[in-house]
Amino acid sequence: MSAVAAMRLPEQIDLSGFISLLQRLQVPHRVAEEAGEQVLWVPGEQLAQQVRELYERYPQGDAEVQMVPVSAAEDAAPGFIQQLKNSRMTSAVLLLTFLAAAITLLGDNLVAVSWLSFVDYRVQGDYIYFSYLRDTLASGQWWRLLTPMLIHFGILHLAMNTLWFWELGRRIEARQGAFMLLGLALLFSLAANFAQYLHAGPSLFGGLSGVLYGLLGHCWIFQRLAPTHAYRLPPGVLVMMLAWLLICMTGIFELLQFGAIANAAHVGGLLAGCLTGLLGGTLARRQRT
């Protein structure tokens, strides 16, 4: 099991009391000095989270409080149910996505899809007639600015997007909290949807992919500015995702009649994610100095 930097603190902070507490609790750890900081290393991210919570409560190592010992055995990979409990917001977004997929029959039920699309439309024969955004908003249908993220067209579209949201969403929820993940997902959805509408005009599009590129950009830039284990993506993931974006932008899938790709939504989400990663990473970096 790889070591995780549970905390990075200025070297002038006295950690002796807290280190003594960890020793009494038999928590495996080591402290190292790196670039003017004290870095507390523990085996595994789950144990690291427990240590952070412990430090928030007892930074001086208060010994008069009854504590439950924390052992490395607790850092064993949690089961699926425990992962759901640990990532409640990620799970909630995915649950809504699956419900929307069931109601819309993966995009085949155009009447149900019209409830969630960016602009309203009506189907007449073999044609779809779209409203304009100003008319949709004038009628009070503001939810449409966000709900296209819940629409998916086909099982492969749904499977790929939900798997990546599970991977990236849990990282952000663990590092920055459930409400931050929700706020970022809604922001990226808004940015992606507007970008696609401005690029293509009234049309039918949907999916979590714009949000996913936002989450990817957020983790990427945040990690470069304020390195954290949670945002350290497996080697090649960033390159693969960006390469896929460029391939989609060539129009090859439309040429092969595999369906239209909402490339503007991907770019809009990615740019918004890079911006939030820049802001969040800068703030996190300043807090460490």
Side-chain angles (χ1 to χ4, degrees), residues 164-180:
W164 276 112
F165 189 86
W166 176 250
E167 176 64 29
L168 296 173
R170 287 188 302 156
R171 292 172 179 269
I172 293 177
E173 186 170 358
R175 175 61 178 81
Q176 296 184 267
F179 289 105
M180 178 61 74

mmCIF file of all heavy atoms in Angstrom, residues 164-180:
data_model
loop_
_atom_site.group_PDB
_atom_site.id
_atom_site.type_symbol
_atom_site.label_atom_id
_atom_site.label_comp_id
_atom_site.label_asym_id
_atom_site.label_seq_id
_atom_site.Cartn_x
_atom_site.Cartn_y
_atom_site.Cartn_z
ATOM 1 N N TRP A 164 -16.705 7.305 -15.520
ATOM 2 C CA TRP A 164 -15.739 8.382 -15.325
ATOM 3 C C TRP A 164 -16.197 9.351 -14.237
ATOM 4 O O TRP A 164 -15.375 9.885 -13.487
ATOM 5 C CB TRP A 164 -15.500 9.131 -16.638
ATOM 6 C CG TRP A 164 -14.475 8.463 -17.496
ATOM 7 C CD1 TRP A 164 -14.664 7.845 -18.694
ATOM 8 C CD2 TRP A 164 -13.092 8.320 -17.197
ATOM 9 N NE1 TRP A 164 -13.491 7.324 -19.160
ATOM 10 C CE2 TRP A 164 -12.499 7.603 -18.264
ATOM 11 C CE3 TRP A 164 -12.278 8.729 -16.143
ATOM 12 C CZ2 TRP A 164 -11.146 7.294 -18.305
ATOM 13 C CZ3 TRP A 164 -10.921 8.413 -16.165
ATOM 14 C CH2 TRP A 164 -10.368 7.707 -17.233
ATOM 15 N N PHE A 165 -17.509 9.579 -14.141
ATOM 16 C CA PHE A 165 -17.981 10.452 -13.060
ATOM 17 C C PHE A 165 -17.736 9.793 -11.706
ATOM 18 O O PHE A 165 -17.394 10.477 -10.726
ATOM 19 C CB PHE A 165 -19.475 10.761 -13.224
ATOM 20 C CG PHE A 165 -19.969 11.813 -12.277
ATOM 21 C CD1 PHE A 165 -19.862 13.153 -12.589
ATOM 22 C CD2 PHE A 165 -20.532 11.474 -11.047
ATOM 23 C CE1 PHE A 165 -20.297 14.134 -11.705
ATOM 24 C CE2 PHE A 165 -20.972 12.435 -10.160
ATOM 25 C CZ PHE A 165 -20.851 13.775 -10.489
ATOM 26 N N TRP A 166 -17.921 8.485 -11.625
ATOM 27 C CA TRP A 166 -17.634 7.757 -10.381
ATOM 28 C C TRP A 166 -16.167 7.895 -10.002
ATOM 29 O O TRP A 166 -15.823 8.083 -8.833
ATOM 30 C CB TRP A 166 -18.017 6.284 -10.575
ATOM 31 C CG TRP A 166 -17.696 5.375 -9.433
ATOM 32 C CD1 TRP A 166 -16.736 4.405 -9.408
ATOM 33 C CD2 TRP A 166 -18.331 5.333 -8.151
ATOM 34 N NE1 TRP A 166 -16.731 3.765 -8.192
ATOM 35 C CE2 TRP A 166 -17.706 4.312 -7.403
ATOM 36 C CE3 TRP A 166 -19.374 6.056 -7.571
ATOM 37 C CZ2 TRP A 166 -18.078 3.995 -6.096
ATOM 38 C CZ3 TRP A 166 -19.744 5.739 -6.261
ATOM 39 C CH2 TRP A 166 -19.097 4.734 -5.550
ATOM 40 N N GLU A 167 -15.295 7.835 -10.988
ATOM 41 C CA GLU A 167 -13.856 7.933 -10.717
ATOM 42 C C GLU A 167 -13.456 9.346 -10.298
ATOM 43 O O GLU A 167 -12.774 9.539 -9.290
ATOM 44 C CB GLU A 167 -13.079 7.511 -11.959
ATOM 45 C CG GLU A 167 -11.569 7.659 -11.849
ATOM 46 C CD GLU A 167 -10.946 6.761 -10.799
ATOM 47 O OE1 GLU A 167 -11.501 5.676 -10.520
ATOM 48 O OE2 GLU A 167 -9.913 7.160 -10.219
ATOM 49 N N LEU A 168 -13.875 10.348 -11.054
ATOM 50 C CA LEU A 168 -13.448 11.723 -10.783
ATOM 51 C C LEU A 168 -14.266 12.366 -9.669
ATOM 52 O O LEU A 168 -13.721 13.122 -8.855
ATOM 53 C CB LEU A 168 -13.564 12.558 -12.061
ATOM 54 C CG LEU A 168 -12.648 12.135 -13.218
ATOM 55 C CD1 LEU A 168 -12.977 12.927 -14.475
ATOM 56 C CD2 LEU A 168 -11.181 12.318 -12.837
ATOM 57 N N GLY A 169 -15.565 12.090 -9.624
ATOM 58 C CA GLY A 169 -16.417 12.690 -8.605
ATOM 59 C C GLY A 169 -16.003 12.297 -7.201
ATOM 60 O O GLY A 169 -15.981 13.133 -6.292
ATOM 61 N N ARG A 170 -15.667 11.026 -7.001
ATOM 62 C CA ARG A 170 -15.253 10.574 -5.666
ATOM 63 C C ARG A 170 -13.982 11.265 -5.210
ATOM 64 O O ARG A 170 -13.817 11.553 -4.023
ATOM 65 C CB ARG A 170 -15.043 9.061 -5.667
ATOM 66 C CG ARG A 170 -16.322 8.248 -5.727
ATOM 67 C CD ARG A 170 -16.031 6.786 -5.527
ATOM 68 N NE ARG A 170 -15.098 6.287 -6.526
ATOM 69 C CZ ARG A 170 -14.321 5.221 -6.351
ATOM 70 N NH1 ARG A 170 -14.340 4.562 -5.209
ATOM 71 N NH2 ARG A 170 -13.515 4.814 -7.318
ATOM 72 N N ARG A 171 -13.082 11.531 -6.144
ATOM 73 C CA ARG A 171 -11.831 12.206 -5.779
ATOM 74 C C ARG A 171 -12.110 13.610 -5.251
ATOM 75 O O ARG A 171 -11.565 14.020 -4.225
ATOM 76 C CB ARG A 171 -10.902 12.273 -7.000
ATOM 77 C CG ARG A 171 -10.370 10.920 -7.448
ATOM 78 C CD ARG A 171 -9.626 11.035 -8.774
ATOM 79 N NE ARG A 171 -9.097 9.753 -9.207
ATOM 80 C CZ ARG A 171 -7.881 9.293 -8.918
ATOM 81 N NH1 ARG A 171 -7.061 10.034 -8.194
ATOM 82 N NH2 ARG A 171 -7.486 8.121 -9.356
ATOM 83 N N ILE A 172 -12.956 14.342 -5.969
ATOM 84 C CA ILE A 172 -13.247 15.713 -5.555
ATOM 85 C C ILE A 172 -14.065 15.726 -4.269
ATOM 86 O O ILE A 172 -13.832 16.555 -3.374
ATOM 87 C CB ILE A 172 -13.970 16.459 -6.693
ATOM 88 C CG1 ILE A 172 -13.013 16.646 -7.873
ATOM 89 C CG2 ILE A 172 -14.511 17.802 -6.207
ATOM 90 C CD1 ILE A 172 -13.624 17.297 -9.070
ATOM 91 N N GLU A 173 -15.008 14.806 -4.140
ATOM 92 C CA GLU A 173 -15.806 14.743 -2.920
ATOM 93 C C GLU A 173 -14.937 14.425 -1.710
ATOM 94 O O GLU A 173 -15.125 14.994 -0.630
ATOM 95 C CB GLU A 173 -16.910 13.702 -3.061
ATOM 96 C CG GLU A 173 -17.872 13.670 -1.884
ATOM 97 C CD GLU A 173 -19.101 12.819 -2.129
ATOM 98 O OE1 GLU A 173 -19.237 12.275 -3.241
ATOM 99 O OE2 GLU A 173 -19.937 12.718 -1.205
ATOM 100 N N ALA A 174 -13.955 13.534 -1.876
ATOM 101 C CA ALA A 174 -13.073 13.179 -0.763
ATOM 102 C C ALA A 174 -12.144 14.327 -0.396
ATOM 103 O O ALA A 174 -11.851 14.545 0.782
ATOM 104 C CB ALA A 174 -12.252 11.940 -1.121
ATOM 105 N N ARG A 175 -11.705 15.095 -1.389
ATOM 106 C CA ARG A 175 -10.720 16.163 -1.135
ATOM 107 C C ARG A 175 -11.369 17.485 -0.744
ATOM 108 O O ARG A 175 -10.883 18.188 0.135
ATOM 109 C CB ARG A 175 -9.857 16.365 -2.392
ATOM 110 C CG ARG A 175 -8.863 17.534 -2.335
ATOM 111 C CD ARG A 175 -7.858 17.366 -1.220
ATOM 112 N NE ARG A 175 -6.888 18.443 -1.205
ATOM 113 C CZ ARG A 175 -7.101 19.648 -0.677
ATOM 114 N NH1 ARG A 175 -8.295 19.919 -0.139
ATOM 115 N NH2 ARG A 175 -6.154 20.571 -0.695
ATOM 116 N N GLN A 176 -12.493 17.835 -1.387
ATOM 117 C CA GLN A 176 -13.084 19.156 -1.181
ATOM 118 C C GLN A 176 -14.515 19.136 -0.663
ATOM 119 O O GLN A 176 -15.086 20.197 -0.433
ATOM 120 C CB GLN A 176 -13.013 19.973 -2.476
ATOM 121 C CG GLN A 176 -11.573 20.275 -2.913
ATOM 122 C CD GLN A 176 -11.534 21.160 -4.139
ATOM 123 O OE1 GLN A 176 -11.463 20.679 -5.269
ATOM 124 N NE2 GLN A 176 -11.600 22.461 -3.929
ATOM 125 N N GLY A 177 -15.102 17.966 -0.505
ATOM 126 C CA GLY A 177 -16.409 17.872 0.102
ATOM 127 C C GLY A 177 -17.548 17.678 -0.891
ATOM 128 O O GLY A 177 -17.423 17.968 -2.088
ATOM 129 N N ALA A 178 -18.673 17.202 -0.366
ATOM 130 C CA ALA A 178 -19.827 16.864 -1.200
ATOM 131 C C ALA A 178 -20.434 18.095 -1.871
ATOM 132 O O ALA A 178 -20.782 18.066 -3.060
ATOM 133 C CB ALA A 178 -20.883 16.155 -0.353
ATOM 134 N N PHE A 179 -20.571 19.189 -1.134
ATOM 135 C CA PHE A 179 -21.219 20.371 -1.699
ATOM 136 C C PHE A 179 -20.330 21.049 -2.732
ATOM 137 O O PHE A 179 -20.826 21.659 -3.686
ATOM 138 C CB PHE A 179 -21.622 21.339 -0.597
ATOM 139 C CG PHE A 179 -22.766 20.838 0.237
ATOM 140 C CD1 PHE A 179 -22.555 20.347 1.516
ATOM 141 C CD2 PHE A 179 -24.057 20.819 -0.271
ATOM 142 C CE1 PHE A 179 -23.605 19.864 2.282
ATOM 143 C CE2 PHE A 179 -25.118 20.339 0.479
ATOM 144 C CZ PHE A 179 -24.892 19.852 1.754
ATOM 145 N N MET A 180 -19.025 20.952 -2.560
ATOM 146 C CA MET A 180 -18.125 21.478 -3.584
ATOM 147 C C MET A 180 -18.271 20.680 -4.867
ATOM 148 O O MET A 180 -18.312 21.244 -5.969
ATOM 149 C CB MET A 180 -16.675 21.434 -3.110
ATOM 150 C CG MET A 180 -15.666 21.914 -4.143
ATOM 151 S SD MET A 180 -15.927 23.628 -4.645
ATOM 152 C CE MET A 180 -15.314 24.487 -3.181
#
